[in-house]
């Protein structure tokens, strides 16, 4: 018999209900901010961590949106930042001059991923590039990067669930939790 992934969780940091409320609130801000713009709005999810957030967020947005995904390198099997950013799956669009991109990220840690991606997408010719994240760990910042919108600021703790993984596991948990210390060892 395989174990229940919930048994590896030490404590829940953010409940399903808290996340749901925050996602709805963010969708309202996106509706409000982009509502009177004429350009196309592209929600650009960063794989794989943002998939759950992206799925829930897009359902709460009322204005017309398009979706796409990019995949960039992130952590290996551990919990320490990899450092450099590699594009594994790129965004292919002929012309971005009438497209406003809203990058949808799971968590901002060092800030290196989004700092790099925003510059990259601007170079590709997007009309605007903004970012939203479910979680922000401001204490961990290594580059000067601020997100346009976030749902939660959290302390410097490694978290899993709602798309976020440790060693590719725990993404399917419906909440954000902290693993039992023995799981890392
Ligand atoms: P950054 O470039 O250091 O900001 O890295 C952001 C990426 O690191 C996120 O998209 C996650 O994939 C990963 N990451 C950072 N902190 C955590 C965490 O606490 N749990 C799971 N993944 C994390
Ligand atoms: Mg990620």
């Amino acid at each position: 018999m395989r174990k229940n992934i919930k048994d590896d969780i030490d404590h829940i940091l953010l409940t399903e209900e808290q996340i749901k409320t925050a996602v709805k609130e963010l969708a309202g801000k996106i509706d409000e901010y982009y509502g009177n713009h004429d350009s196309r709005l592209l929600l650009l999810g960063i794989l794989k961590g943002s998939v759950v957030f992206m799925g829930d967020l897009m359902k709460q947005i009322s204005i017309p949106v398009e979706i796409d995904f990019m995949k960039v390198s992130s952590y290996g099997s551990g919990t320490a930042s990899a450092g450099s950013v590699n594009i594994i799956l790129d965004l292919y669009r002929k012309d971005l001059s009438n497209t406003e991109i809203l990058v949808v990220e799971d968590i901002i840690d060092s800030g290196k991923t989004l700092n790099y991606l925003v510059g990259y997408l601007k170079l590709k010719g997007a009309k605007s590039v903004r970012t939203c994240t479910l979680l922000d760990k401001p204490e961990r910042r290594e580059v000067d990067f601020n997100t346009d919108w976030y749902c939660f600021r959290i302390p410097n703790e490694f978290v899993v669930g709602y798309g976020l993984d440790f060693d590719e596991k725990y993404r399917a948990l419906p909440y954000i939790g902290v693993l039992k210390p023995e799981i890392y060892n």
Side-chain angles (χ1 to χ4, degrees):
M1 214 13 208
R2 298 225 258 170
K3 63 174 184 179
N4 186 326
I5 52 171
K6 290 182 179 168
D7 294 343
D8 291 350
I9 298 299
D10 185 72
H11 59 276
I12 295 177
L13 191 65
L14 298 164
T15 64
E16 286 186 72
E17 212 48 51
Q18 283 176 294
I19 297 170
K20 199 174 165 186
T21 305
V23 168
K24 218 170 177 169
E25 203 175 298
L26 173 61
K29 289 179 189 165
I30 293 169
D31 278 341
E32 192 182 315
Y33 185 83
Y34 292 99
N36 57 357
H37 295 201
D38 290 328
S39 20
R40 304 160 79 133
L41 176 58
L42 174 63
L43 301 181
L44 181 62
I46 307 306
L47 296 171
K48 295 176 257 187
S50 75
V51 283
V52 181
F53 179 40
M54 175 76 138
D56 283 348
L57 179 64
M58 61 190 276
K59 286 184 287 184
Q60 299 295 332
I61 296 175
S62 307
I63 61 170
V65 293
E66 301 171 24
I67 65 161
D68 225 319
F69 295 92
M70 278 182 75
K71 188 173 184 201
V72 299
S73 64
S74 73
Y75 298 78
S77 55
T79 56
S81 176
S84 65
V85 178
N86 292 308
I87 293 172
I88 295 158
L89 175 69
D90 207 344
L91 172 66
Y92 295 102
R93 295 253 169 158
K94 279 203 193 85
D95 180 18
L96 287 167
S97 61
N98 193 36
T99 298
E100 300 205 68
I101 296 178
L102 177 58
V103 179
V104 179
E105 178 64 303
D106 53 355
I107 185 165
I108 306 176
D109 191 56
S110 71
K112 287 177 186 167
T113 306
L114 284 190
N115 193 49
Y116 174 82
L117 268 181
V118 167
Y120 178 78
L121 293 165
K122 282 182 177 162
L123 275 177
K124 269 183 175 289
K127 184 167 184 180
S128 74
V129 183
R130 291 184 182 83
T131 62
C132 69
T133 184
L134 177 75
L135 307 174
D136 187 6
K137 282 188 201 170
E139 285 169 50
R140 296 265 306 167
R141 213 62 102 245
E142 289 172 38
V143 293
D144 185 18
F145 179 84
N146 287 306
T147 184
D148 296 278
W149 295 281
Y150 65 89
C151 291
F152 301 97
R153 281 207 162 131
I154 62 165
N156 179 12
E157 228 175 346
F158 195 82
V159 292
V160 296
Y162 201 74
L164 290 97
D165 74 306
F166 171 65
D167 202 10
E168 291 301 327
K169 293 187 283 280
Y170 310 105
R171 293 192 196 275
L173 283 170
Y175 47 68
I176 296 287
V178 175
L179 287 171
K180 290 176 178 166
E182 62 261 34
I183 305 298
Y184 299 115
N185 309 315

